[in-house]
Amino acid sequence: RIASEHPEWLDRILLVEADARRLPLAAGCAETVLAIESLCYLDDDYELGVRQCYALLAPKGRLLLSERDREGGLLLRLLYQGIEGMLEVSRTGIIVDGPPDAPMRTRAFTELELTTLLNDTGLDIRSIHGISLFSVVLGWMQNKHLLDPRNMAHLPAIATLLGELGQEGRARRCHVIVAQRP
């Protein structure tokens, strides 16, 4: 998509798919690192994933981290697996996603866990936002055919509301944190 829509970007962007625990890049090589729902897949190695992101950052470089919220995980499991699923997430912090024949184990984080982890790694937090949990509820309602088709006329207003909740709200599907290397 980048090649067709913005070929001039290809000289300035490098996309790498790799295990976040062993990134094949030189230390200090990046002004910006995006880690979008990557730590949640590292099980107990998520601290190593953050250290790898830190190592990639040049001085004053920024990390955009987006990870699943624990409360959002609780609601997801309640909606899709009932009370038992929700209580399991509350005990373990682990969410099992995906189709029944190929389940994927992921982890959910509280805001305090993520901010502590980033601070302990040496990053300075610049902003904290999120994606509203209401997006999960609306998606679930749509999948269950609980929304009236006439509601589609309200999509622009819903998008605006969800954007505002991402900035100001506390009930989150995921956290979005920007941190900077000193």
Side-chain angles (χ1 to χ4, degrees):
R1 181 175 165 195
I2 291 171
S4 65
E5 293 180 17
H6 297 284
E8 69 279 9
W9 291 4
L10 293 174
D11 292 336
R12 300 183 314 234
I13 191 168
L14 172 66
L15 302 174
V16 176
E17 183 178 343
D19 186 323
R21 293 168 286 205
R22 291 177 298 282
L23 295 172
L25 299 169
C29 68
E31 294 295 324
T32 304
V33 172
L34 306 176
I36 311 298
E37 289 194 12
S38 55
L39 300 181
C40 65
Y41 291 101
L42 297 179
D43 294 325
D44 294 330
D45 287 342
Y46 59 90
E47 292 174 350
L48 178 56
V50 170
R51 288 194 305 271
Q52 284 286 299
C53 290
Y54 180 88
L56 292 177
L57 289 171
K60 304 293 181 191
R62 290 194 174 204
L63 168 66
L64 185 141
L65 178 72
S66 177
E67 288 297 332
R68 293 174 173 203
D69 177 77
R70 183 176 182 273
E71 193 172 343
L74 291 169
L75 179 63
L76 274 170
R77 292 307 92 189
L78 175 64
L79 292 174
Y80 290 100
Q81 293 180 342
I83 296 293
E84 288 97 11
M86 180 185 73
L87 292 175
E88 180 66 23
V89 171
S90 76
R91 286 189 297 273
T92 66
I94 301 302
I95 301 170
V96 178
D97 279 332
D101 60 333
M104 177 67 67
R105 180 183 186 270
T106 62
R107 188 181 190 292
F109 298 89
T110 65
E111 181 179 305
L112 180 59
E113 286 176 309
L114 290 174
T115 57
T116 299
L117 177 60
L118 294 173
N119 285 326
D120 289 351
T121 304
L123 291 161
D124 298 325
I125 295 173
R126 298 297 182 193
S127 67
I128 301 173
H129 302 290
I131 296 174
S132 173
L133 199 51
F134 282 99
S135 63
V136 171
V137 174
L138 290 170
W140 180 81
M141 291 177 70
Q142 179 69 21
N143 288 339
K144 296 288 186 177
H145 307 289
L146 298 174
L147 294 178
D148 189 306
R150 293 175 291 184
N151 291 331
M152 294 304 135
H154 299 290
L155 284 179
I158 291 170
T160 299
L161 174 61
L162 291 176
E164 291 168 358
L165 290 172
Q167 298 292 322
E168 303 163 5
R170 304 312 286 168
R172 296 183 174 150
R173 178 190 176 281
C174 68
H175 305 283
V176 178
I177 301 173
V178 175
Q180 184 172 350
R181 184 173 180 162

